[in-house]
Amino acid sequence: MKALISVDMEGVSGIVHSSETNPERYDYQRGRELMTAEANAVIAGVLDAEPTADVLVADAHGTFRNLLPEQLDRRARLVRGKPRALNMLAGLDEETDAALFVGYHVRAGEGPGVLAHTMNGEILDVRVTGRAQGEDVRITGHTPGEGAQVTVHAPGDGAQVTAHTPGDGAQVTARTPGGGVQLTAHAPGGGVQLTAHAPGGDVRTTGRSLGEIGLNAAMAGHLGVPVVLLSGDDAACAEAAALIPEAVTVPVKEALGMAAAVTLHPEEARDRLRRAAADAVSRRTEIPPLALTGPLHVEVDLASPHTIDLATLVPGVSRTAGARTVAFTAPDYGTAYRLILLLAQLATIRPA
């Protein structure tokens, strides 16, 4: 069995401020020690469940040189430094059986969440439109005269909704109680227009905003790897649960704001993480990968006009209506992920 543990820093128990996550600030060394200790707890949990597992740990914060190698559990191998393929997921491949996200944070624009952002302060939002592969969810539409009938069926939860629009301009919104599949059908003059959304299931997703949790989980899913565990503050855990309801989440603090939280004692957090990691790895075959199939349309909102100017130099990337947004279409999620990473890197370049 092979596991990849991707370890970020903002979602670690006890950490609430950038002084604890920035190498140039006074409290960074303590932050590194807290981060390394939580990584060790998850390594121990994985090996409790699978004593012969091959465990890789990807340092996934900032410089990717934060975890203290000499303090890391010697049974794991450390992926350290940058630039590197797959960024926060370096070491992941199609032979990996489970991915575990430790110390993660909520996306930009959500919260309250401790140190919420997406990749860096220059990425305001990333929206991905595509198809999420799940348990054979089907949509059918029919226009009998002026009305419209739409059926959503999700065999995995046994949920089925049939909606009928009785007139020309009728609109109906239905939710399946088991699977979180939401359908909006509108028949303007006898036709059918569908917008469907299914966190962690199937059905077309329309412009879903993804942060580091969703972007990385979808990259793992592209390789067929389920994300079985995520830890962070309560907002990060809620974001993960909306995307991958079956995954184990471990809230190690309750966010009060961008730089404030009610946090567990670090030792209590580590105890919970160890138990949760063992449980998550044991149930890995029950947790589906989050896979988005192409073609995918991606929109990225950028903070700096300079970054937008640079982004339009990339073949296939264009400026859209509005001052902050660029967009592209990718044939598959692996391509989309790499382009998003490139845009994030361009955002770090300052005008000459």
Side-chain angles (χ1 to χ4, degrees), residues 7-249:
V7 189
D8 206 349
M9 203 170 193
E10 290 87 354
V12 168
S13 176
I15 289 179
V16 297
H17 194 272
S18 60
S19 66
E20 299 159 318
T21 63
N22 187 328
E24 298 178 359
R25 302 293 295 275
Y26 72 94
D27 227 3
Y28 171 66
Q29 182 61 27
R30 189 172 66 87
R32 298 179 77 186
E33 292 173 355
L34 291 170
M35 178 188 186
T36 305
E38 286 204 357
N40 281 338
V42 175
I43 295 168
V46 171
L47 292 171
D48 287 345
E50 294 283 349
T52 62
D54 178 16
V55 181
L56 274 73
V57 178
D59 190 320
H61 174 73
T63 62
F64 297 168
R65 301 190 308 273
N66 309 279
L67 290 167
L68 298 166
E70 66 277 13
Q71 292 185 20
L72 197 69
D73 190 318
R74 65 189 299 168
R75 296 173 294 177
R77 294 179 292 148
L78 175 62
V79 186
R80 193 167 191 262
K82 67 190 311 184
R84 65 197 193 194
L86 295 189
N87 202 48
M88 296 173 74
L89 299 178
L92 189 79
D93 59 26
E94 293 171 340
E95 302 302 315
T96 305
D97 297 290
L100 302 91
F101 293 174
V102 179
Y104 270 55
H105 52 81
V106 73
R107 67 181 179 86
E110 286 295 301
V114 174
L115 299 172
H117 65 279
T118 299
M119 295 189 176
N120 55 47
E122 297 296 320
I123 304 291
L124 302 178
D125 192 18
V126 179
R127 295 178 297 281
V128 180
T129 301
R131 178 173 288 279
Q133 291 181 319
E135 297 179 305
D136 188 31
V137 181
R138 298 187 300 277
I139 295 182
T140 59
H142 180 58
T143 57
E146 293 181 338
Q149 180 173 302
V150 182
T151 302
V152 178
H153 180 56
D157 349 86
Q160 179 170 323
V161 172
T162 300
H164 181 69
T165 61
D168 279 345
Q171 177 171 311
V172 62
T173 300
R175 175 178 293 276
T176 61
V181 178
Q182 179 172 306
L183 166 72
T184 300
H186 182 59
V192 184
Q193 179 179 335
L194 300 181
T195 300
H197 175 56
D202 200 339
V203 199
R204 184 154 301 278
T205 57
T206 303
R208 174 154 196 138
S209 292
L210 299 177
E212 292 171 29
I213 295 169
L215 293 170
N216 289 332
M219 185 62 228
H222 179 67
L223 296 175
V225 181
V227 175
V228 301
L229 175 138
L230 180 133
S231 72
D233 66 16
D234 56 329
C237 290
E239 184 176 324
L243 290 164
I244 318 162
E246 300 86 353
V248 177
T249 57

Side-chain angles (χ1 to χ4, degrees), residues 122 300 302-319 323-328 339 342-352:
E122 297 296 320
V300 182
L302 299 163
S304 168
H306 177 67
T307 305
I308 295 172
D309 292 339
L310 290 175
T312 58
L313 298 176
V314 178
V317 177
S318 61
R319 193 189 306 261
R324 289 182 166 178
T325 306
V326 296
F328 62 87
L339 273 172
L342 176 59
L343 294 179
Q345 189 62 38
L346 291 177
T348 67
I349 299 174
R350 295 292 174 259

